[in-house]
Amino acid sequence: MRLASLLMYDGNPRAAADQVVALEKAGLDSVWVAEAYGFDSPTLMGYLAARTETVQIGSGILNIYSRTPGALLQTAAGLDNVSGGRAILGLGVSGPQVIEGFHGVPYRRPLARTAEVVDIVRRGLRREPLTADGEFHLPLTKDDGAVTGLGKPLKLLTRPERDTIPIWIAALGPKNVEQTAAIADGWIPHLFHPEKAHTVWGEALAAGNAERQEGLGPLQVMAGGLVAIGEGPDTAALLDLARPYFTLYVGGMGAKGRNFYNDVARAYGYEEEAEAIQDLYLSGKKKEAEALVPTEWLEAANLVGPASYVKERIAAFREAGVTDLHVTPVSDPVATVEQLKEWVS
């Protein structure tokens, strides 16, 4: 099992980068840079590439609507070059509020668009001319809306560091997870409950793996949460630090009926809580919403407690198929990563 850490989109990128340098020395295997509708991810990824030597650097995630497949190809190839072959391209569909509200792009056919982006990027890294006749039309013809009709298939001008870069997909819905298991190098499920994951996604993963594309290795999985190792009530109380985060996603990351994280909470068996959390959050009662996040879920999805308990949670994540343990240390990140590295190795 490898150790991963996520840089959030609401912090100071320069300060976060300073911490990554120390975490790399402590044994961190990969760092992932979130984007949402904050600072863009590739800028910080390039900065991290210049500051680090061994840690893998992933986008966590770039949406597949606001950048063309050609732009995603250029970004992946450029980051892989400046990092010396350490880039991971993390992709996802985001949600309609961000895509249509912030980027002004129609949120349509997410599964088909994702599959085509992955295919185009992979062919582009092999320096094949970019062609497509599905969700994208490459080259664009006058029948497809071209103004001049002069477009022609072009291949990547520069030679990439590698002709293949790992592509990971953030997915939650059953059809999306099934497709991810079929076409992606890795899967990023959010707010992951190890003991309930098989019930929610087992069939989708099995179906996708049965159709897994030739040449791909076993599907990698990244999940995890807050980490606080210690005895007593003070450590246990740190679990509440995760409540606002869970509440934000279950309650506020999407409109009624179009919140994928709320759907996951329901699939885990927390239907009543999910309904109430969303209603309270959307009406501005965030503290009340936080109180309703099931403690059982928080305990399962995070690693907070005595060393023996944290080891049990690591084993639970491993048993659920997690290959990359995503960790957010509550205190002393370097010491925490050093300790976790010893336990997961």
Side-chain angles (χ1 to χ4, degrees):
M1 182 181 277
R2 296 176 293 264
L3 283 183
S5 187
L6 176 69
L7 297 188
M8 296 305 294
Y9 41 77
D10 57 353
N12 184 319
R14 294 192 303 276
D18 291 339
Q19 186 178 83
V20 171
V21 174
L23 294 181
E24 178 184 54
K25 295 177 181 177
L28 189 69
D29 295 294
S30 66
V31 60
W32 298 74
V33 184
E35 183 171 89
Y37 46 98
F39 292 150
D40 75 300
S41 175
T43 297
L44 181 52
M45 291 174 70
Y47 182 58
L48 288 171
R51 297 286 307 278
T52 58
E53 297 178 357
T54 60
V55 69
Q56 290 187 293
I57 304 169
S59 55
I61 51 100
L62 299 179
N63 75 74
I64 47 92
Y65 286 95
S66 62
R67 296 175 177 89
T68 66
L72 287 168
L73 165 64
Q74 289 177 297
T75 296
L79 288 168
D80 206 45
N81 177 268
V82 297
S83 67
R86 293 184 282 135
I88 301 174
L89 181 62
L91 301 174
V93 298
S94 188
Q97 286 188 322
V98 172
I99 300 307
E100 296 186 347
F102 191 77
H103 295 292
V105 178
Y107 191 85
R108 61 166 68 105
R109 293 175 58 81
L111 289 179
R113 191 178 182 100
T114 299
E116 196 162 341
V117 164
V118 172
D119 176 61
I120 293 170
V121 169
R122 283 190 172 136
R123 288 190 284 116
L125 287 169
R126 297 194 296 267
R127 300 192 74 225
E128 297 176 12
L130 298 191
T131 59
D133 189 22
E135 292 303 298
F136 302 93
H137 298 279
L138 296 172
L140 197 66
T141 67
K142 286 193 172 182
D143 290 340
D144 302 320
V147 175
T148 68
L150 297 176
K152 63 179 182 179
L154 296 173
K155 64 182 179 181
L156 192 65
L157 181 65
T158 45
R159 292 192 176 277
E161 186 79 10
R162 296 180 289 176
D163 62 7
T164 180
I165 293 173
I167 297 178
W168 291 52
I169 296 176
L172 292 174
K175 288 296 183 183
N176 199 349
V177 171
E178 179 178 339
Q179 177 173 273
T180 297
I183 69 173
D185 295 281
W187 172 42
I188 310 171
H190 201 43
L191 308 181
F192 190 78
H193 190 312
E195 284 80 5
K196 294 178 181 285
H198 182 74
T199 300
V200 176
W201 294 297
E203 291 185 5
L205 289 169
N209 276 309
E211 301 295 326
R212 192 156 176 77
Q213 290 181 355
E214 185 177 354
L216 293 177
L219 182 69
Q220 307 297 290
V221 182
M222 180 173 68
L226 287 182
V227 181
I229 306 168
E231 306 279 347
D234 288 344
T235 298
L238 294 173
L239 190 64
D240 285 333
L241 294 174
R243 286 188 181 278
Y245 185 70
F246 277 59
T247 305
L248 168 64
Y249 279 88
V250 175
M253 282 293 188
K256 275 273 192 179
R258 295 302 296 270
N259 182 324
F260 307 129
Y261 310 99
N262 194 278
D263 293 342
V264 168
R266 294 171 185 272
Y268 284 155
Y270 306 128
E271 295 94 342
E272 292 183 8
E273 293 91 338
E275 180 82 16
I277 289 168
Q278 188 173 52
D279 287 343
L280 287 167
Y281 190 94
L282 295 178
S283 64
K285 300 176 180 177
K286 297 180 181 179
K287 286 298 181 183
E288 291 92 330
E290 289 173 15
L292 296 182
V293 178
T295 300
E296 174 197 74
W297 188 7
L298 293 174
E299 290 174 343
N302 297 284
L303 303 92
V304 176
S308 59
Y309 178 76
V310 172
K311 289 179 182 178
E312 289 176 6
R313 297 316 305 152
I314 292 172
F317 278 97
R318 194 193 303 271
E319 179 67 21
V322 172
T323 59
D324 294 67
L325 186 66
H326 158 233
V327 298
T328 303
V330 174
S331 61
D332 200 343
V334 172
T336 300
V337 167
E338 287 176 340
Q339 180 63 83
L340 290 173
K341 186 67 174 179
E342 179 182 331
W343 289 344
V344 303
S345 297

